[in-house]
Amino acid sequence: MIRFPLSDLLDEQECYDYLLRTLHPTGLHCRHGHPLPPGQAPHDRSRAPIFDYRCRVCGNVFNLFTATVWEGTHYSCRTIVLIMRGFVQGIPTLQLAEELELDYGTLLKHRHEIQQLGLTHKPTDPLPDDVTEADEMFQNAGEKGDKHDDPDDPPRRRANNRHGAGTMDNDRPPILGVVGRTTGQIRLTVCDNTQQATLQPQVEHNTFSDTLLNTDESSAYNHIAETGRGHVTVCHSRHEYARDDDGDGFCEVHCNTMEGIWTGLRNFLRPFRGVHKKYLAAYTAMFEWAHNLKRVTTDFLRTLMVPNFTYLPT
């Protein structure tokens, strides 16, 4: 694949202004929250337009990246803008490192840190939809990059085709998905297994008690109705994928919405050529954000770059 150097086409000052609006919407301030007084001269101008300032209240030196994941970085503003664009769009780390001429290992560490913030601060409120669907997907994810010197602990082979239900231990961790039929919003959770004790609490957390839940015939959902939720199922083992219960000619009982979303998640993960199971939840969270938001917002970017900022979209 031919690389196209985007960084040379971006204006450094424009990127600085964009990051300033994103990271500090109320204005630049030190790590203790003291605002930069109007007209204060920089303490250090050597990295213009990234100026260092000395706080007149506490004496701390600060700049645009203080108290963010980019604190101490030597990357330019335009490089950081392109890195964040690549992370949010799901561009593989190796491709991004080559395009921006950055060290792959360093960039991968940044990706894991930023995506972990996306996982930590993703919305956890229940879906408001009257009708929801729940389903599971099994994703091959081993220990990519880890050394396996112990002959009793061999690395996972490509295209893991183990029989039976996947688990975290056999390198096919299940991902539980819940989607609302009206809003189209999703909640994704990487689980250790597909047992009832694992899945049902997650379904209860992600839906309100008066929702009508559509699932397949998995026994993990057998006791959902005991929580007050409506529960209807289709039997995939009998080749039943949609059913019309009320006779209106519309097959309303199905979990095909969630099945379609799995296609999107697989396409999102495929370019990475394997994801370590330790980081799978963070990669999945980035897909969830992208699906729910559709368009990048400054609040979302602040969530990924400022550890103590939490954005809960409405």
Side-chain angles (χ1 to χ4, degrees):
M1 181 182 297
I2 191 168
R3 308 300 184 196
F4 192 93
L6 287 175
S7 58
D8 294 339
L9 304 178
L10 298 181
D11 181 78
E12 181 71 6
Q13 183 64 53
E14 289 289 337
C15 290
Y16 176 89
D17 294 340
Y18 174 75
L19 290 173
L20 179 62
R21 293 192 303 270
T22 299
L23 298 174
H24 306 282
T26 60
L28 197 61
H29 54 79
C30 76
R31 68 176 62 255
H32 298 301
H34 303 129
L36 176 69
Q40 179 175 331
H43 172 71
D44 185 351
R45 300 174 182 266
S46 61
R47 290 187 62 202
I50 304 174
F51 296 138
D52 288 346
Y53 297 91
R54 184 178 296 280
C55 179
R56 292 177 177 175
V57 178
C58 63
N60 278 280
V61 175
F62 63 97
N63 60 32
L64 173 68
F65 300 124
T66 298
T68 74
V69 296
W70 299 112
E71 185 168 4
T73 186
H74 295 290
Y75 292 156
S76 66
C77 291
R78 58 188 176 189
T79 297
I80 289 176
V81 168
L82 289 173
I83 287 173
M84 294 305 301
R85 175 179 180 270
F87 287 173
V88 170
Q89 291 185 332
I91 296 175
T93 311
L94 181 59
Q95 176 182 335
L96 202 57
E98 291 177 350
E99 288 181 346
L100 301 180
E101 299 181 332
L102 302 176
D103 178 71
Y104 168 76
T106 302
L107 190 58
L108 185 62
K109 289 180 181 178
H110 283 307
R111 172 168 233 142
H112 289 162
E113 180 183 8
I114 287 167
Q115 292 187 164
Q116 184 61 40
L117 285 176
L119 172 63
T120 301
H121 298 308
K122 73 172 188 171
T124 57
D125 53 313
L127 296 171
D129 304 72
D130 295 333
V131 182
T132 54
E133 301 174 20
D135 192 40
E136 320 91 56
M137 182 190 96
F138 298 101
Q139 174 65 33
N140 287 341
E143 297 173 337
K144 181 181 179 181
D146 289 0
K147 291 184 178 181
H148 291 261
D149 299 326
D150 185 352
D152 295 327
D153 180 30
R156 173 181 71 82
R157 293 186 301 173
R158 294 288 182 184
N160 182 5
N161 292 317
R162 293 175 183 268
H163 295 291
T167 67
M168 187 67 73
D169 290 337
N170 67 20
D171 294 343
R172 291 188 67 226
I175 303 174
L176 170 67
V178 182
V179 60
R181 288 260 183 95
T182 302
T183 64
Q185 299 285 292
I186 60 174
R187 299 288 184 267
L188 303 179
T189 308
V190 176
C191 303
D192 290 334
N193 54 61
T194 55
Q195 298 175 4
Q196 177 193 334
T198 301
L199 298 190
Q200 181 165 321
Q202 292 297 329
V203 171
E204 292 182 33
H205 180 74
N206 290 323
T207 61
F208 284 110
S209 59
D210 58 351
T211 191
L212 174 63
L213 184 70
N214 291 252
T215 71
D216 59 20
E217 71 277 19
S218 170
S219 61
Y221 306 108
N222 284 352
H223 297 280
I224 285 292
E226 297 173 10
T227 67
R229 292 165 174 79
H231 183 210
V232 290
T233 65
V234 287
C235 187
H236 289 171
S237 62
R238 297 178 184 173
H239 305 289
E240 180 187 48
Y241 299 99
R243 190 176 65 252
D244 178 13
D245 276 355
D246 56 14
D248 63 353
F250 176 76
C251 294
E252 73 282 351
V253 182
H254 64 82
C255 45
N256 293 336
T257 310
M258 198 64 236
E259 294 279 1
I261 291 170
W262 293 141
T263 300
L265 177 57
R266 288 189 178 97
N267 290 339
F268 177 83
L269 295 174
R270 187 174 294 113
F272 295 102
R273 305 293 180 90
V275 172
H276 196 299
K277 60 185 177 183
K278 179 171 66 174
Y279 302 113
L280 179 60
Y283 281 85
T284 302
M286 294 301 288
F287 172 80
E288 180 180 332
W289 277 108
H291 178 91
N292 288 339
L293 286 182
K294 301 297 188 293
R295 185 178 183 87
V296 168
T297 66
T298 54
D299 280 341
F300 171 50
L301 289 178
R302 199 174 307 123
T303 296
L304 299 179
M305 292 190 284
V306 181
N308 62 356
F309 177 80
T310 301
Y311 169 49
L312 295 178
T314 57

